[in-house]
Amino acid sequence: MSLQELRRQIDALDAQILDLLSQRAHVVQEVGHSKTRTQTKFFSPERERQIFERLEEANQGPLPPTAVRAIFREILSGMRALEAQIRVAHLGPAGTFSHQAALDKFGTSSELKAADTIPDVFALVERGEADYGVVPVENSTEGIVPYTLDMFHEKGTRLKICAEVYVPVVHNLASKAETLSEIQRLYAHPQAYAQSRNWIRDTLGTGIEVIDATSNSKAATLAAADPTSAAITTSIASELYGIPLLAQHIEDSPHNRTRFLVIGENTPQPSGKDKTSIFFSVQHRAGSLMRAMAAFDAHDINLTMIESRPTKQLPWEYVFFIDIQGHHKEPQVSRALKLLEEHSLFVTILGSYPEAN
């Protein structure tokens, strides 16, 4: 076929795709009416996980799974907006990894609200000014984010964890300079600089002036106003603040990821591959923690995270946060949690939700 004939074929296929999307949209509107009548939440993370898994199993190429997921993430976002406009608060400002996490989970058809602090994200959802919040909880190289965990036990929020999302930590060098040799100073968040230190040393040298910025987004705005400077920033911040990328993937570790939690009032049903987050406390005496944790070994439950935080009520007393594989409604998990309660002062389930890929 000639190029013109191939393009006509693509145009015809595009028309078919659009027609099918319109048909899907009409069905989604009916789903929205049903959810309104039954007061069901419009965001269903367990259903969306099942959709993605089914599509990835059915996909025979040539599109890779990541492309299929990205395309359908936006389709689901647009369809969800036909049911209701989802408002999502995230740790700001715009252009940060938290912003990227919110986009990755909810898509561009959602209304995103940037908040100054993690407590502000929780407050926006608790006051009903946002339907969901997206907050960082741990990084694969830097460890836990204590402010997020403290919101659950110290502040006593009523919100639950209803989903999670992992975002690869990709650092880029953005600048309005035309070449690397023109760069005289570097704006960077201290953590971003630490995670790109080797590349900066080897490429820009040790003589460059490094200026701390409060976020990757702030670094981008500062560098955008100074053509002899550069910023370590995200690709989304580069687009938002109009500063070109001179180099991509400058991070020293290609395996670094940050895990984010989606908080809200959802209580997702089992999806087939779930995670449950809890926190608990034990008596302050020898063997208490060992006896409590034995509940998971007894029922063959795998732990994916364990972290302790001070109670901030009495010195040297702690609460323990753990993530386990499985949904709290599954019999095996339920039995393990019941046994844990027998050896604990209290056990609080923070949420069961689909495990992220």
Side-chain angles (χ1 to χ4, degrees):
M1 286 187 183
S2 67
L3 178 59
Q4 190 173 16
E5 289 172 328
L6 290 170
R7 285 175 172 169
R8 280 198 295 266
Q9 187 174 351
I10 288 175
D11 290 343
L13 289 169
D14 286 345
Q16 293 179 43
I17 293 171
L18 182 58
D19 180 62
L20 289 171
L21 287 174
S22 296
Q23 293 180 45
R24 192 186 195 284
H26 286 301
V27 176
V28 165
Q29 287 178 320
E30 291 301 316
V31 170
H33 297 325
S34 176
K35 287 181 177 179
T36 299
R37 288 193 300 269
T38 59
Q39 296 185 331
T40 302
K41 296 292 183 182
F42 293 103
F43 173 54
S44 177
E46 67 272 32
R47 166 65 175 160
E48 292 191 2
R49 179 187 178 85
Q50 291 164 356
I51 289 173
F52 284 128
E53 286 184 342
R54 187 182 69 250
L55 291 169
E56 288 177 5
E57 289 177 4
N59 178 36
Q60 297 182 0
L63 282 176
T66 53
V68 172
R69 178 175 285 270
I71 291 167
F72 274 87
R73 181 189 66 213
E74 287 304 317
I75 289 175
L76 292 178
S77 178
M79 297 294 174
R80 196 188 305 118
L82 294 175
E83 300 179 50
Q85 182 66 57
I86 301 295
R87 302 163 301 166
V88 182
H90 64 85
L91 183 62
T96 59
F97 288 114
S98 295
H99 184 195
Q100 185 64 60
L103 287 172
D104 287 352
K105 178 53 68 175
F106 292 94
T108 58
S109 293
S110 302
E111 180 185 345
L112 302 185
K113 298 171 175 281
D116 292 334
T117 66
I118 288 173
D120 289 341
V121 175
F122 277 79
L124 285 170
V125 183
E126 289 172 336
R127 293 197 302 263
E129 296 177 34
D131 301 298
Y132 299 96
V134 176
V135 290
V137 67
E138 62 176 326
N139 176 266
S140 59
T141 62
E142 303 294 332
I144 208 71
V145 179
Y147 306 106
T148 296
L149 296 186
D150 289 345
M151 290 301 299
F152 290 107
H153 85 92
E154 185 180 339
K155 303 300 182 182
T157 180
R158 72 173 190 276
L159 302 178
K160 296 293 185 181
I161 304 169
C162 52
E164 66 174 1
V165 57
Y166 287 93
V167 175
V169 177
V170 176
H171 294 306
N172 307 287
L173 190 77
S175 177
K176 289 190 173 179
E178 293 185 2
T179 63
L180 294 174
S181 61
E182 298 175 34
I183 298 172
Q184 300 175 13
R185 64 194 60 83
L186 176 68
Y187 296 100
H189 184 278
Q191 191 175 75
Y193 175 73
Q195 294 171 350
S196 310
R197 187 187 305 273
N198 292 339
W199 188 95
I200 297 299
R201 180 198 60 213
D202 296 341
T203 308
L204 299 181
T206 57
I208 190 169
E209 180 185 10
V210 179
I211 303 172
D212 286 352
T214 55
S215 68
N216 293 325
S217 297
K218 184 62 176 179
T221 60
L222 291 169
D226 181 359
T228 62
S229 68
I232 300 177
T233 193
T234 61
S235 57
I236 188 172
S238 167
E239 295 176 11
L240 286 171
Y241 303 112
I243 179 169
L245 296 181
L246 279 187
Q248 300 183 55
H249 287 279
I250 69 171
E251 65 277 359
D252 295 330
S253 171
H255 308 296
N256 191 9
R257 297 196 303 171
T258 299
R259 176 183 171 218
F260 293 84
L261 301 178
V262 177
I263 54 172
E265 297 183 351
N266 278 37
T267 53
Q269 297 300 307
S271 71
K273 189 176 182 182
D274 299 291
K275 185 181 288 184
T276 296
S277 296
I278 68 173
F279 74 93
F280 66 97
S281 183
V282 297
Q283 292 183 338
H284 190 38
R285 61 189 187 197
S288 294
L289 181 60
M290 181 190 69
R291 287 188 290 271
M293 296 295 287
F296 301 109
D297 179 56
H299 292 281
D300 197 27
I301 302 296
N302 186 45
L303 276 68
T304 60
M305 185 196 79
I306 179 168
E307 186 73 22
S308 63
R309 293 292 298 152
T311 63
K312 299 184 181 179
Q313 296 172 354
L314 293 173
W316 319 122
E317 290 197 352
Y318 297 86
V319 293
F320 299 91
F321 288 83
I322 63 172
D323 290 337
I324 62 176
Q325 289 183 315
H327 195 285
H328 75 272
K329 289 187 176 181
E330 295 173 359
Q332 192 172 0
V333 176
S334 178
R335 288 192 291 268
L337 292 177
K338 185 176 181 180
L339 183 56
L340 175 66
E341 289 177 348
E342 295 177 6
H343 297 283
S344 303
L345 295 174
F346 66 85
V347 177
T348 300
I349 298 176
L350 300 177
S352 290
Y353 46 91
E355 190 171 346
N357 293 333

